[in-house]
Amino acid sequence: MLKKRKLHLLIFFCFLLNTYASGKTDAYDGEQKNKSGKVSHIVSMPASGELGSFFTVKFKAKRKIEKAWITIYNTEEKKVQTINAFPVDKSKKEWAAIAAVAVWWKSGKWKIRTHLIIDEALFEEDRGFEVLEKEFKELVMKLSAKNTKILKDKSPKKNEQRNMFAEILKVQNIESLYFKGPFSMPFDAKRISSTFAEKRTSKYIDGKTSVSRHWGVDYPAPIGTPIFAPGEGKVVLAENRIVTGWTLVIEHAPAVYTIYYHLNKIHVAENSFVKQGEKIADIGTTGFSTGPHLHWELRINEVPADPELLLKKELF
């Protein structure tokens, strides 16, 4: 009996070691039972996420889910964000909520409370979620007279563009299940000139400085290089802006947007739908730019995340 117990313990620890080594940190054991003792639903989500990444909480039930959402709490048990889930099938028995791990979050033990309503009954459960630290590059930029003027511009038009842009990214249309991935690169980029979440210190021509974050990835290429849609979606913005130049925003899923800055030309119109691989724009150097390149950005429920992660996993 003792030998069997030792053998069982050895097998268990080997399983744990293999799970840790393979990086499998997802927890898929969130079963909850109703009053009759039957399993009513299952909630799955990862146990951790790096700063700048994104993750999905999935809800699956035997009956129609009426509503589902998550509430995110920080290390001090303070509510940080509430995110509505959306149905991923017509039966509404499977829902998903997508969240980004904001770069400004404090690393450590966080909590995610899942909520869903089935047959007018509310089910809630708390899950641990570890926010993992990640280092980001730093860069000092000496600005030209042109770029200094753009950053110091305090015109009403600039403020109006900023506010409109923010309002667009707030929209979560649960009907917008256009594309879940995997995504592809917007073009065959040869190198990266600026990385995601890079901390920038901008030096103006008058000697003053300001600090900001770079919320996308920059890929240098000649003016006119064609850009292709990395996934299916709806064009929700296509206009020339003071700071970002010719700008394109595509909605791919509820509150999930990819963004393209400094374009030379846009080939699609607002409210049109694009397919993966369709030509959407040409690379340029419009707006606040130091040379021809594509600035590619990802926003999920308003929070910036590394767009290159779209190439590695599906949204839902």
Side-chain angles (χ1 to χ4, degrees):
M1 181 67 72
L2 185 60
K3 287 184 178 180
K4 281 188 175 181
R5 187 175 180 183
K6 287 182 177 179
L7 178 61
H8 289 160
L9 284 172
L10 178 62
I11 293 172
F12 175 72
F13 283 116
C14 287
F15 170 77
L16 287 180
L17 181 62
N18 180 65
T19 300
Y20 176 79
S22 62
K24 295 179 180 179
T25 58
D26 286 355
Y28 291 101
D29 56 351
E31 295 182 352
Q32 284 201 18
K33 298 181 179 180
N34 55 25
K35 292 181 180 179
S36 64
K38 294 182 179 179
V39 174
S40 63
H41 65 273
I42 297 174
V43 178
S44 62
M45 59 167 280
S48 63
E50 280 189 336
L51 298 177
S53 67
F54 68 86
F55 64 95
T56 305
V57 179
K58 297 181 180 180
F59 302 84
K60 188 174 183 179
K62 293 183 178 180
R63 298 176 67 86
K64 177 183 173 182
I65 297 173
E66 295 162 32
K67 186 179 179 180
W69 69 100
I70 64 172
T71 308
I72 302 173
Y73 296 87
N74 64 15
T75 56
E76 299 172 350
E77 296 284 325
K78 292 181 180 178
K79 184 167 71 173
V80 172
Q81 192 176 22
T82 298
I83 296 174
N84 289 320
F86 52 88
V88 300
D89 67 342
K90 292 182 179 180
S91 71
K92 295 189 176 181
K93 293 179 181 179
E94 293 186 34
W95 289 54
I98 310 173
V101 183
V103 169
W104 53 85
W105 285 4
K106 181 181 178 182
S107 60
K109 304 291 184 181
W110 286 50
K111 181 178 74 178
I112 295 178
R113 180 168 295 162
T114 63
H115 322 254
L116 78 161
I117 298 174
I118 302 174
D119 294 334
E120 299 184 350
L122 174 64
F123 296 86
E124 295 182 320
E125 182 185 4
D126 287 349
R127 296 286 193 91
F129 183 80
E130 186 173 5
V131 174
L132 305 175
E133 189 63 63
K134 185 176 182 180
E135 295 294 323
F136 299 99
K137 292 183 178 181
E138 295 190 18
L139 175 71
V140 177
M141 293 182 65
K142 291 184 178 180
L143 305 184
S144 63
K146 170 205 164 191
N147 285 335
T148 294
K149 183 180 179 181
I150 289 174
L151 286 194
K152 289 195 170 186
D153 185 337
K154 295 182 180 180
S155 65
K157 184 177 180 181
K158 183 180 177 182
N159 193 51
E160 180 185 326
Q161 289 177 344
R162 183 189 298 113
N163 292 338
M164 186 182 74
F165 187 78
E167 288 301 313
I168 287 172
L169 299 183
K170 285 180 182 178
V171 176
Q172 189 199 41
N173 176 16
I174 64 171
E175 302 296 326
S176 59
L177 297 178
Y178 305 125
F179 194 71
K180 69 176 183 178
F183 287 68
S184 55
M185 280 290 292
F187 77 103
D188 185 20
K190 302 302 181 184
R191 65 186 183 92
I192 293 174
S193 55
S194 289
T195 55
F196 171 76
E198 184 177 83
K199 187 177 180 181
R200 289 180 170 180
T201 299
S202 297
K203 288 191 174 183
Y204 302 96
I205 55 174
D206 61 5
K208 294 182 180 180
T209 62
S210 66
V211 178
S212 62
R213 286 277 188 180
H214 182 245
W215 293 130
V217 180
D218 287 352
Y219 306 95
I223 291 176
T225 301
I227 300 166
F228 306 94
E232 292 182 23
K234 180 182 179 181
V235 178
V236 294
L237 180 71
E239 69 168 17
N240 192 10
R241 304 174 74 235
I242 293 171
V243 177
T244 58
W246 282 103
T247 300
L248 189 63
V249 180
I250 301 176
E251 177 187 38
H252 299 283
V256 177
Y257 300 89
T258 55
I259 303 165
Y260 311 79
Y261 288 162
H262 314 300
L263 306 172
N264 187 58
K265 187 176 182 180
I266 294 175
H267 298 286
V268 290
E270 283 187 16
N271 298 315
S272 65
F273 292 88
V274 295
K275 294 187 177 295
Q276 186 176 31
E278 180 180 343
K279 184 178 178 180
I280 55 175
D282 297 334
I283 284 177
T285 184
T286 55
F288 180 89
S289 174
T290 58
H293 72 284
L294 170 65
H295 170 103
W296 188 33
E297 192 169 318
L298 168 65
R299 296 288 182 112
I300 298 175
N301 286 288
E302 303 179 67
V303 178
D306 187 345
E308 291 202 333
L309 294 177
L310 292 171
L311 309 173
K312 301 175 182 179
K313 61 179 182 179
E314 295 182 340
L315 288 171
F316 55 88

